[in-house]
Amino acid sequence: MTDPARSAEADLAFLRSVVSGAGPQGHFTMGVSYLAGGLLYGVQCLFHIGQAVGWVRWPGLASLIFLVAITTAMIGVLIWAVRQDRKGPRPGPMVTRTLNAAFSATGMVNLAVIVVFAVGAMRDQDFAVWLYYPAMVFAIQAAAWWVAWSLRKSAWMLATSVGGWATAVALGLLVREPVAYLAVCTAALFGLFAAPGWIMLHGALKARRAA
């Protein structure tokens, strides 16, 4: 079998796994990322709720260390997941280019949104402007999950997409209500990031054991 034929076969197998949900590699990394991000940043939001209502009265340095620890843990989890991913089979060049293009496009959108809201918040001297950024993140996630649902017709994907849309709208309406805003963020991180992450990770691990 020639190398081009092998590459085409690998591409087709990978694309079939994406549609069917049987591919453990990409789903493993995404599952770990969503699960860890939802849990870690959900806990962070709970911490901020405690601060807002007066239940948490940590000194500034302790609070900063806690927040840095959350981000450090998330980075560590991502590095570990990527390394684990490299142990599995790699897709062919066509799929690699497609995935790189998709992630680059998503990164460009996120970068543009960050710049827009960060500049707006600094210019207007209003931190509430920056709080619209998470709303946009959930809106973008809702669109991504809608595409996933269109391909696979999984009910939980549709629920995640609709939930992301509703969260984006709710956050946009609650930027001046810090406790309610944080409560919505907390629920969304646990329900729309951690829960889908667990579903994907569970499916990926099951597929690995069956392979």
Side-chain angles (χ1 to χ4, degrees), residues 116-130 132 176:
V116 168
F117 287 107
V119 171
M122 290 186 293
R123 180 193 59 209
D124 299 339
Q125 296 295 302
D126 186 357
F127 181 71
V129 173
W130 171 249
Y132 286 107
R176 304 290 178 178

Side-chain angles (χ1 to χ4, degrees), residues 24-204:
Q25 295 306 319
H27 288 200
F28 176 83
T29 303
M30 187 176 293
V32 169
S33 301
Y34 270 74
L35 178 59
L39 293 177
L40 288 171
Y41 291 112
V43 169
Q44 180 177 327
C45 281
L46 287 175
F47 174 76
H48 289 313
I49 290 176
Q51 288 181 315
V53 300
W55 295 341
V56 177
R57 299 182 181 276
W58 290 9
L61 180 59
S63 296
L64 178 61
I65 292 174
F66 174 77
L67 297 179
V68 171
I70 291 288
T71 299
T72 302
M74 185 65 201
I75 293 173
V77 169
L78 291 175
I79 292 173
W80 174 82
V82 170
R83 286 181 175 177
Q84 289 294 312
D85 229 13
R86 290 177 179 173
K87 298 177 182 178
R90 309 299 299 172
M94 181 186 72
V95 174
T96 300
R97 288 195 300 269
T98 301
L99 291 177
N100 287 340
F103 281 111
S104 296
T106 301
M108 290 171 62
V109 172
N110 285 330
L111 180 60
V113 171
I114 289 174
V115 171
V116 168
F117 287 107
V119 171
M122 290 186 293
R123 180 193 59 209
D124 299 339
Q125 296 295 302
D126 186 357
F127 181 71
V129 173
W130 171 249
L131 296 180
Y132 286 107
Y133 167 66
M136 294 303 301
V137 170
F138 280 104
I140 294 170
Q141 289 291 316
W145 282 113
W146 181 267
V147 173
W149 173 77
S150 298
L151 289 171
R152 292 182 50 190
K153 301 300 182 182
S154 295
W156 68 269
M157 291 181 173
L158 177 60
T160 304
S161 176
V162 174
W165 182 87
T167 299
V169 173
L171 292 179
L173 297 175
L174 294 172
V175 291
R176 304 290 178 178
E177 304 291 337
V179 176
Y181 181 95
L182 288 169
V184 171
C185 273
T186 302
L189 284 166
F190 286 130
L192 302 177
F193 274 78
W198 168 250
I199 293 173
M200 288 185 288
L201 181 58
H202 177 73

